Amino acid sequence: LNMLGILLSMKGESETALDVLRKATAYELSLGKSGQPATPLNNSGEVYNEIFAEDQAESSWTKATSLPDGCEHVLPSLNLATLYIHQLNLS
């Protein structure tokens, strides 16, 4: 589902991509400790950012940094930092 969401986003189908990524997040959460819900949440944030929904992107990335993933939250943290730099929110 996560990969499908990414591919849909690349094809310009943002709303469908976000729906699929929500399902991917729910699935990962259903796996308990073995799930990695931060990964599709990070990708949701990237789609939101692409459609200029910065508040929703920030929300997705912030939530992603508090949930399990396979890369120590590197991507959502980097995405948040980039967003904050663009906003001149340097605190």
Side-chain angles (χ1 to χ4, degrees):
L1 286 174
N2 186 52
M3 290 302 298
L4 177 59
I6 292 169
L7 291 172
L8 287 166
S9 174
M10 291 172 63
K11 297 288 271 178
E13 298 181 34
S14 302
E15 290 304 318
T16 306
L18 289 168
D19 183 51
V20 169
L21 290 167
R22 277 189 281 279
K23 290 175 183 172
T25 301
Y27 173 74
E28 292 292 335
L29 285 168
S30 77
L31 295 175
K33 291 184 179 187
S34 64
Q36 297 182 1
T39 303
L41 269 173
N42 176 67
N43 292 326
S44 294
E46 291 181 10
V47 175
Y48 283 125
N49 196 50
E50 290 169 1
I51 60 173
F52 306 103
E54 288 183 352
D55 290 344
Q56 292 171 301
E58 180 180 4
S59 177
S60 291
W61 292 328
T62 300
K63 189 171 182 180
T65 61
S66 68
L67 294 171
D69 75 355
C71 61
E72 303 299 323
H73 304 112
V74 170
L75 293 176
S77 296
L78 179 61
N79 286 328
L80 273 171
T82 302
L83 178 68
Y84 293 150
I85 289 168
H86 286 208
Q87 295 174 342
L88 297 177
N89 177 1
L90 305 178
S91 61

